[in-house]
């Protein structure tokens, strides 16, 4: 056995261990990464949609979204200055990091982020059109813990209709 073969074997073994670890602790890892949702964010944003996880978008996207609340995807979502500042600070502090931080989706839509598309690529187009789902941003339709900020794939229940 050559040194090259030993090194290749170690790389394969390490890669397998990393992959298995990531798979095995999927829900636990998410729990460790989850930060408590700011009550003002939950109250204001979840009044219209799920309070999307801050780690779902990069800092620049959150800054643009919060700066344009009067034109928030066709709706005036304006807030008072203090609430806007508090929520912006929470979102920026807990925004995506690592590879996700470089993924600025079109129109700053979380559902168009590369990680989101990758995570949901097994969902057929007709599933998104079901009456109980309606659109990709309706996270709570399938993620039972979404209102509490939990998006573990272990808790996914896709509605039949």
């Amino acid at each position: 056995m050559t040194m090259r073969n030993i090194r290749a074997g170690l790389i394969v073994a390490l890669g397998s261990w990393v992959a298995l670890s990531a798979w095995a602790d999927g829900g636990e890892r998410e729990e460790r990464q989850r930060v408590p949702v700011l009550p003002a964010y939950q109250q204001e944003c979840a009044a219209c949609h799920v309070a999307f996880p801050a780690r779902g978008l990069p800092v620049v996207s959150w800054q643009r979204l919060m700066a344009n609340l009067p034109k928030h995807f066709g709706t005036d979502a304006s807030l008072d200055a203090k609430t806007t500042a508090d929520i912006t600070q929470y979102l920026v502090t807990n925004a995506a990091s690592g590879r996700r931080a470089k993924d600025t989706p079109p129109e700053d839509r979380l559902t168009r982020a590369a990680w989101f598309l990758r995570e949901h690529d097994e969902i057929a187009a007709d599933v998104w059109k079901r009456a109980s789902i309606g659109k990709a941003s309706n996270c709570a339709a399938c993620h039972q813990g979404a209102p509490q900020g939990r998006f573990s794939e272990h808790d996914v229940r896709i509605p039949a209709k």
Side-chain angles (χ1 to χ4, degrees):
M1 183 172 274
T2 68
M3 193 61 149
R4 187 177 188 176
N5 289 342
I6 292 172
R7 192 175 345 166
L10 287 172
I11 290 171
V12 169
L14 179 61
S16 298
W17 178 80
V18 168
L20 283 172
S21 296
W23 174 79
D25 80 346
E28 294 172 25
R29 184 178 42 173
E30 184 183 77
E31 281 299 314
R32 286 192 306 265
Q33 293 174 340
R34 196 163 54 93
V35 295
V37 177
L38 181 72
Y41 177 56
Q42 181 72 31
Q43 179 182 334
E44 297 297 340
C45 300
C48 298
H49 55 74
V50 166
F52 299 116
R55 67 181 186 280
L57 287 173
V59 168
V60 67
S61 289
W62 286 123
Q63 289 171 328
R64 273 195 296 264
L65 289 169
M66 293 305 294
N68 292 306
L69 288 178
K71 297 178 181 174
H72 188 68
F73 301 110
T75 300
D76 183 355
S78 298
L79 300 169
D80 65 75
K82 181 180 180 336
T83 304
T84 301
D86 291 348
I87 293 173
T88 300
Q89 182 61 43
Y90 164 77
L91 292 170
V92 166
T93 300
N94 297 293
S97 60
R99 196 170 61 184
R100 277 191 191 180
K102 298 173 187 161
D103 177 18
T104 305
E107 301 173 10
D108 297 315
R109 290 183 183 270
L110 185 139
T111 56
R112 296 184 66 192
W115 71 265
F116 183 93
L117 297 173
R118 209 173 28 255
E119 290 287 326
H120 298 85
D121 65 354
E122 76 278 7
I123 307 298
D126 64 317
V127 172
W128 296 114
K129 296 175 184 169
R130 291 178 182 166
S132 58
I133 298 174
K135 55 187 174 183
S137 62
N138 184 12
C139 305
C142 302
H143 293 271
Q144 306 302 302
Q148 293 80 38
R150 293 190 318 268
F151 296 87
S152 170
E153 64 183 272
H154 300 292
D155 298 327
V156 171
R157 304 287 181 272
I158 298 175
K161 296 181 181 181

